[in-house]
Amino acid sequence: MNADVSGIHIASLSASQFATVYNLFSLVIASMVFTALYLLLSQGRVAPRYRNALVVSAIVCGIASYHYFRIFDNFKASYPAGDTVGAVHNLSNIEFNEAYRYVDWLLTVPLILVETIAVMALGRAASRSLLVKLVPASALMIVLGYPGEIAAGMGSRALWGTLSTIPFLYILYVLFIELTSSLDRQPHEVRTTIKRLRASLLALWCVYPVAYLFPIIGGEFFGGANGFVLRQAGYSIADILAKAAYGLVIYKVARIKSGLEDSRYDDDHDAPAPSRDRPGRAPATA
Amino acid sequence: MNADVSGIHIASLSASQFATVYNLFSLVIASMVFTALYLLLSQGRVAPRYRNALVVSAIVCGIASYHYFRIFDNFKASYPAGDTVGAVHNLSNIEFNEAYRYVDWLLTVPLILVETIAVMALGRAASRSLLVKLVPASALMIVLGYPGEIAAGMGSRALWGTLSTIPFLYILYVLFIELTSSLDRQPHEVRTTIKRLRASLLALWCVYPVAYLFPIIGGEFFGGANGFVLRQAGYSIADILAKAAYGLVIYKVARIKSGLEDSRYDDDHDAPAPSRDRPGRAPATA
């Protein structure tokens, strides 16, 4: 059977394996949709210069929502319920389409770099110089990963995975070496935050290659149906962290910078003194 | 049949049991969707510093809406209509997925604590200090409850339920002991409201463990299909109260505090004198 030979199509999932993946996909949809809405609704809480970073973050979550709705429906069609509740879910005639993820990443990964640079507000020339390096490299990273994801053999998976790592390392070089010179112009409180932003981007993005490697590691735990569940779980959780949670960090950075630059956005302090202590109001309420 | 052995899948529901759960789910959807809309549409009626609490409350209702749409469709697929109107609804091959609730709670319960702290406007440091304790504890509470919900045996249900109670007690400790020191800085009118807010949070959250315990109590009334209906009703009504109704309480607190701090938001007084008393209009209407 083709499903067994290729190693990329899992012939069947147990009811609990199916339920795990199913519920994770639904969790991703809820996280992405409502993070996108929250970011759009919170635009007024940051200075105008940071609103584009919030809009781009919301768009990233929106694109991911679209793809996870597709992935969710595709998964149900590929592994329909058996005859009874608790029965094995066998692969149907519908392929489980991993390409949705790569199309998603092709659009969202460059945009995640755009939102990161946008929230730094480095100035037009510096931003442009970083983006012309980062955006094509990130698109190349995704494009080179895909042939490995759908390859039948583990040798091809390793080869394309290695090729995809080259633009990834270049992105890290730009973010950690070139960007460092721009950091000195940032306010002190923000410099720390941007360093954390960059470190968390690195940490989050490392989850993807790890999940990609599961089929190569193979064995009882990382191979077969179990490995499929782990890989889907890895990609799903990495997407929540790298898009929704990261978007909220971008919002937090934008809030802090807005508050530092304009006191109208610095409204997280203690509430003003209550009115009963205010001389002007006391007689009116007495 | 697996459905009977496990004790978690009810083999069949009577037409009236099905209709009760079905209509309750629809009630939850209507409550959540339109409370979310009302909260978003009312943002302009509270001071800017309280708008985030309203947005988060709306997001909580939105996330619940998404999950209840899923639960509603899932319930129809799990217990399809029999051959005639009024016939028994037998369990199909589609599992009734209780995990939707837990995924919902995993996202919304921490956010309910976020909206509660946000409306208090305690200042950045105090808020942060409370949230780093409350948010992880609330997520842990939900995660520990789930294995008990899907466990076949009542012993496992009791064990995981007990484990889940530990973070719940910690949350109560933080809300009732630690938060008390911050309360003194609140205006008198608000202090009373926040105490009520906290008490209602406790009262509402106690409905969940009671519904969770129904299968353990068992018997004619709390076990089997009847217990299933009661548990779904308990969770659904608790969700309406803890999310939609609680969101409206948050809005009320935000309104009161906005009015105390800024007279522009204090427009709930008696209406201006009716027009017939105004000299300019009196002749026209007479």
Side-chain angles (χ1 to χ4, degrees), chain A residues 15 19 22-27 29-31 34-35 37-38 41-42 45 69 72-73 76 81-87 251-252 255-256 259 265-276 278 281, chain B residues 1-2 9 40 43 48-50 52 55-56 59 62-63 66-67 70 91-97 99-100 103 106-107 121-124 146 185-189 191 257 259-263 266 269:
Chain A
Y22 182 92
N23 287 309
L24 271 170
F25 288 167
S26 182
L27 169 65
I29 291 175
S31 307
F34 293 97
T35 302
L37 284 177
Y38 180 75
L41 290 166
S42 302
R45 301 189 78 221
F69 272 110
F72 187 82
D73 285 347
K76 281 197 292 182
D83 291 337
T84 56
V85 167
Y251 166 64
K252 188 77 192 164
R255 275 284 290 170
I256 293 169
Y265 297 101
D266 191 20
D267 57 2
D268 273 344
H269 293 305
D270 291 342
S275 64
R276 64 192 168 92
R278 274 191 252 154
R281 288 284 306 273
Chain B
M1 192 179 165
N2 178 53
H9 296 121
L40 290 180
Q43 279 190 73
R49 64 162 63 211
Y50 300 114
N52 190 45
V55 171
V56 175
I59 291 290
I63 293 171
Y66 164 77
H67 285 109
R70 289 272 189 221
L91 178 63
S92 72
N93 62 334
I94 309 288
E95 180 180 15
F96 181 69
N97 180 26
Y100 281 133
V103 172
L106 185 63
L107 295 170
L122 300 172
R124 197 172 288 168
Y146 183 61
R185 282 188 290 165
Q186 297 287 320
H188 176 74
E189 299 85 337
R191 218 180 304 163
K257 294 183 81 174
L260 290 170
E261 290 161 20
D262 185 336
S263 60
D266 190 19
H269 292 307

Side-chain angles (χ1 to χ4, degrees), chain A residues 140-154:
Chain A
L140 188 65
M141 172 175 80
I142 304 302
V143 166
L144 289 173
Y146 183 61
E149 186 75 78
I150 58 162
M154 290 304 133

Side-chain angles (χ1 to χ4, degrees), chain A residues 17 29 53-54 65 76 141 154 167 179 203 219 233 264:
Chain A
Q17 286 173 332
I29 291 175
L54 259 61
S65 303
K76 281 197 292 182
M141 172 175 80
M154 290 304 133
L179 183 60
R264 279 176 302 166

Side-chain angles (χ1 to χ4, degrees), chain A residues 30-231:
Chain A
S31 307
M32 295 294 181
V33 169
F34 293 97
T35 302
L37 284 177
Y38 180 75
L39 292 170
L40 292 179
L41 290 166
S42 302
Q43 279 188 75
R45 301 189 78 221
V46 306
R49 64 159 66 205
Y50 299 114
R51 287 181 194 162
N52 189 46
L54 259 61
V55 172
V56 175
S57 305
I59 292 292
V60 164
C61 292
I63 294 171
S65 303
Y66 164 77
H67 285 109
Y68 271 90
F69 272 110
R70 289 275 189 222
I71 291 171
F72 187 82
D73 285 347
N74 180 202
F75 181 65
K76 281 197 292 182
S78 292
Y79 295 98
D83 291 337
T84 56
V85 167
V88 158
H89 292 242
N90 288 312
L91 179 63
S92 73
N93 60 334
I94 311 288
E95 180 180 17
F96 181 67
N97 179 26
E98 288 281 18
Y100 282 133
R101 293 196 181 282
Y102 282 81
V103 173
D104 178 75
W105 294 336
L106 186 62
L107 296 170
T108 55
V109 170
L111 289 176
I112 288 169
L113 292 167
V114 169
E115 75 191 49
T116 305
I117 302 300
V119 85
M120 292 179 186
L122 300 172
R124 198 170 289 168
S127 295
R128 202 188 141 77
S129 149
L130 284 167
L131 287 176
V132 294
K133 290 167 190 160
L134 292 172
V135 168
S138 63
L140 188 65
M141 172 175 80
I142 304 302
V143 166
L144 289 173
Y146 183 61
E149 186 75 78
I150 58 162
M154 290 304 133
S156 302
R157 195 175 185 93
L159 172 69
W160 289 105
T162 307
L163 289 176
S164 171
T165 307
I166 298 168
F168 179 55
L169 293 176
Y170 176 69
I171 291 169
L172 294 187
Y173 166 79
V174 173
L175 284 181
F176 282 81
I177 309 296
E178 292 206 12
L179 183 60
T180 303
S181 58
S182 305
L183 272 188
D184 300 336
R185 280 187 292 162
Q186 298 286 320
H188 175 73
E189 297 86 336
V190 176
R191 217 180 306 162
T192 317
T193 321
I194 288 181
K195 280 181 182 167
R196 280 196 203 128
L197 202 73
R198 200 168 55 172
S200 54
L201 197 74
L202 171 61
L204 295 172
W205 283 17
C206 281
V207 181
Y208 294 98
V210 170
Y212 178 93
L213 283 173
F214 286 165
I216 296 180
I217 303 169
E220 189 74 17
F221 194 69
F222 292 109
N226 209 20
F228 172 81
V229 173
L230 280 175
R231 193 165 78 256

